[in-house]
Amino acid sequence: MKKLAVVEVKLLTREPGAIFALLIPLFILVVFGSSIEPGDTVLLPMALAIAVGLVGLYLLPTTLATYRERGILRRMSTTPVRPANLLAVQVALQLVLTLTTCALLIAVAGTVLDAHLPTAVGSVAVTFLLGTGAMFAVGLLIAALARNGRTANGVGVLLYFPMAYLAGLMQPTSQMPRLLARIGEYTPLGAFRQGMHQVWADGTPNPVLLGVLAAYAVAISAVAARFFRWE
């Protein structure tokens, strides 16, 4: 597992998608951060949700589907290193990339942009992990069903933009039709964005939203495991 992890880290650092997943949220934060007031509690949670969404819906499924397309998972099934080990290592690395990106966003927002940083660390951690789990579950389902890396990439992009809109990442929910805004609250990305905004304002995350995120993470992961194909 250790050697496998080292190899996968090297491959991930050469992956252009990993660079984009890191730079795009940072670019959005810096560009729009010039117009926020000190103590802002809106922009940073949005940037964090964008970062998690990019990794979960784009990078993770594209990587796993590409491995299947190239026969890597099938060949590994004949070796002592089982395909499930590669899957676990990939999910762990994508989580590390997500945490690194979000840590960079928080550092820049807190020091350069003077954005508000929450004090309820426990609530932040719980909301973040549940939201990341929900988004990764969607990514795993895409990887399970996609025929190849290009298909996974296309499906991830097609899902990301409507989910981002419904979540209020492209337009404030106050300016959206009420029905769409209401629906967006209960999408994986929307519940995550809203939960992060609540804890960023030093409030208590809505238990219903946390339950929604947990349900998405468990249910979609189970479906992905059921239909995941190694070849």
Side-chain angles (χ1 to χ4, degrees):
M1 285 288 287
K2 183 177 180 180
K3 292 182 179 179
L4 179 61
V6 171
V7 172
E8 289 301 312
V9 168
K10 292 180 180 179
L11 293 175
L12 183 62
T13 56
R14 300 171 186 172
E15 171 60 47
I19 304 300
F20 288 131
L22 178 68
L23 294 182
I24 289 176
L26 182 61
F27 174 79
I28 292 174
L29 179 69
V30 172
V31 169
F32 289 96
S34 59
S35 61
I36 66 172
E37 298 179 357
D40 179 76
T41 61
V42 176
L43 181 59
L44 183 51
M46 290 178 59
L48 295 175
I50 290 172
V52 174
L54 286 174
V55 176
L57 294 179
Y58 167 68
L59 191 58
L60 178 62
T62 300
T63 301
L64 294 179
T66 300
Y67 279 12
R68 183 198 300 116
E69 177 186 4
R70 294 177 178 175
I72 295 174
L73 299 180
R74 175 177 54 80
R75 291 194 295 269
M76 289 187 67
S77 64
T78 63
T79 70
V81 182
R82 296 298 179 183
N85 293 342
L86 177 61
L87 178 62
V89 168
Q90 266 298 323
V91 172
L93 289 180
Q94 303 290 352
L95 178 58
V96 170
L97 173 63
T98 302
L99 291 172
T100 302
T101 302
C102 291
L104 178 61
L105 293 173
I106 293 172
V108 171
T111 57
V112 179
L113 303 178
D114 198 23
H116 175 73
L117 298 181
T119 56
V121 178
S123 296
V124 172
V126 170
T127 306
F128 180 84
L129 290 177
L130 287 176
T132 302
M135 296 309 302
F136 274 34
V138 177
L140 290 173
L141 181 59
I142 296 172
L145 300 177
R147 291 181 176 272
N148 51 52
R150 292 185 300 276
T151 301
N153 186 357
V155 173
V157 171
L158 286 176
L159 279 178
Y160 178 80
F161 286 103
M163 288 181 68
Y165 172 75
L166 291 173
L169 299 180
M170 295 182 174
Q171 182 179 5
T173 54
S174 60
Q175 299 178 13
M176 293 169 54
R178 182 172 299 180
L179 177 59
L180 291 181
R182 188 65 175 171
I183 293 173
E185 292 179 3
Y186 296 98
T187 62
L189 196 56
F192 178 43
R193 195 277 309 166
Q194 187 176 357
M196 291 299 290
H197 175 66
Q198 290 173 351
V199 296
W200 230 256
D202 290 329
T204 302
N206 188 334
V208 174
L209 293 179
L210 298 183
V212 167
L213 292 174
Y216 275 125
V218 173
I220 299 178
S221 294
V223 175
R226 171 65 179 81
F227 292 100
F228 197 90
R229 295 174 291 110
W230 299 110
E231 56 181 275

